[in-house]
Amino acid sequence: MLDFSRSIIESKQLFSRHFYIKRDDLIHPYCNGNKARKFASLLKKSPYSTWISYGGNQSNAMFALSYLAHIQGVVFKYVMPSFSQTPSGNLAYALKWGMQAYTLPQGTSIQSLALYAKSLLTPQALLIPQGGTYELSLPGMHSLADELSSSIGGNPVVFYTSGSGVGVITLQKALRALFPKATLVAINCAGSEAELRDKARAYGVGQMEILSSPFAFAKPKSVIWEMRAYLKQFHLRCDLVYDSPAFCVIYEHLNDFRGKELVFIHSGGLTGDISQQKRYSPALRQIKTTFDSI
Ligand SMILES: *Cc1c(COP(=O)(O)O)cnc(C)c1O
């Protein structure tokens, strides 16, 4: 079962600055970080015997939901683009836990995947859209805000990565209620900043501090690889899609946060690297870290 007490706070010196690292990656080997917080509420008793979702065929959400469905004894149906190779990484795990995969041709739009998923709905089934929902996410983010408030306190700057925006928007809401002196800085790794602001506004979270990643979402980049290697030296393992790019962004903006207490919430998802690191060419994988001297 998910154990949120495993998410300790660590102190680390990175780029000659002190950081508190909130170790949400330690919550559970399979379901941790952002997904553990967002989907914790699915572990409560519920009338649904089936969960239905859709998205990429290596997605962290698919991985986390398949594991939670497995331990809850719920059927999990997932609509995704087809895959040509033997399943590996997140997909291999998800299938092992009994996920029922519905595949549409490669290149099918996310809207079409969503429509297909909706067509599978029955009264006993819960549809979990890509990224999850605010309603599902808020209880887990309340716990996170509460833990940050009691273990760190003060008026820190809190960094958290964002994809769909559901995580940062609900955490912002929770922090306002439980830890208003903290300033959340969302590191936007996917989609446009305007889109994230619109989503926040639509949910009633008007003000959001956002720093956007300059990288195309999930595309291999040598600086991301180097940053991951730099962080590893400090026994901080970060994934290639969210947290390593986020540290590149934070590094570039460190001067904006002079004199501030810095907190980084680890968003987990390290199993995603099994497939993601294969996309890095052997040449890139060889790169020696250039952050050694910092
Ligand atoms: C899903 C995910 C995110 C982004 O979460 P959103 O709530 O969709 O913004 C960040 N980090 C990791 C590791 C994730 O798996």
Side-chain angles (χ1 to χ4, degrees):
M1 271 299 172
L2 308 188
D3 181 357
F4 290 92
S5 72
R6 289 201 194 111
S7 176
I8 54 170
I9 305 273
E10 270 178 1
S11 277
K12 298 231 183 253
Q13 200 73 16
L14 304 168
F15 327 113
S16 305
R17 284 290 298 268
H18 177 261
F19 278 80
Y20 285 115
I21 311 288
K22 175 71 171 155
R23 295 291 307 274
D24 269 7
D25 55 317
L26 299 178
I27 289 167
H28 189 276
Y30 301 138
C31 182
N32 53 49
N34 164 289
K35 301 299 177 283
R37 297 290 177 180
K38 281 200 311 202
F39 297 140
S41 57
L42 286 169
L43 291 170
K44 290 212 199 81
K45 247 179 112 68
S46 102
Y48 302 108
S49 57
T50 300
W51 300 339
I52 299 171
S53 191
Y54 57 89
N57 59 26
Q58 280 295 346
S59 115
N60 287 340
M62 168 197 77
F63 177 71
L65 286 171
S66 64
Y67 178 70
L68 294 179
H70 169 73
I71 59 176
Q72 289 289 89
V74 166
V75 173
F76 179 48
K77 300 182 176 182
Y78 188 76
V79 183
M80 63 189 190
S82 64
F83 47 95
S84 42
Q85 282 151 357
T86 314
S88 65
N90 284 349
L91 179 59
Y93 279 107
L95 293 170
K96 194 180 87 183
W97 290 318
M99 177 180 85
Q100 295 179 13
Y102 293 77
T103 54
L104 298 182
Q106 275 176 32
T108 301
S109 70
I110 194 74
Q111 290 83 358
S112 304
L113 296 177
L115 269 180
Y116 193 95
K118 271 183 203 146
S119 77
L120 299 173
L121 263 177
T122 63
Q124 291 77 38
L126 173 70
L127 182 73
I128 303 169
Q130 198 185 36
T133 64
Y134 298 117
E135 193 189 356
L136 276 180
S137 178
L138 198 53
M141 292 304 168
H142 262 271
S143 313
L144 177 54
D146 198 32
E147 289 165 35
L148 291 171
S149 165
S150 56
S151 57
I152 295 173
N155 51 356
V157 169
V158 178
F159 298 106
Y160 200 26
T161 50
S162 176
S164 69
V166 171
V168 289
I169 290 168
T170 46
L171 179 60
Q172 174 72 292
K173 187 145 195 156
L175 286 170
R176 292 252 168 90
L178 298 168
F179 192 10
K181 284 189 172 157
T183 304
L184 179 67
V185 176
I187 314 283
N188 181 32
C189 298
S192 79
E193 193 169 312
E195 211 179 319
L196 180 55
R197 284 195 197 285
D198 285 349
K199 285 182 191 169
R201 214 172 293 120
Y203 187 61
V205 172
Q207 258 310 102
M208 274 276 265
E209 291 223 23
I210 302 171
L211 290 177
S212 279
S213 155
F215 315 117
F217 180 64
K219 215 169 152 214
K221 271 281 191 188
S222 58
V223 284
I224 296 173
W225 188 266
E226 288 174 46
M227 179 56 80
R228 188 175 74 150
Y230 170 80
L231 297 168
K232 226 186 221 166
Q233 297 174 339
F234 300 93
H235 308 288
L236 181 58
R237 288 185 59 226
C238 287
D239 80 313
L240 290 162
V241 174
Y242 293 101
D243 286 1
S244 295
F247 269 111
C248 295
V249 175
I250 293 168
Y251 174 67
E252 290 296 327
H253 288 86
L254 268 185
N255 283 341
D256 302 350
F257 306 104
R258 250 185 244 143
K260 298 275 185 195
E261 194 109 83
L262 306 178
V263 181
F264 183 84
I265 303 172
H266 198 301
S267 73
L270 285 163
T271 55
D273 273 4
I274 299 170
S275 57
Q276 183 66 4
Q277 64 193 2
K278 286 189 194 145
R279 301 179 59 210
Y280 277 76
S281 69
L284 264 181
R285 282 185 236 155
Q286 295 279 316
I287 287 176
K288 240 197 80 58
T289 171
T290 54
F291 290 90
D292 280 351
S293 52
I294 298 166

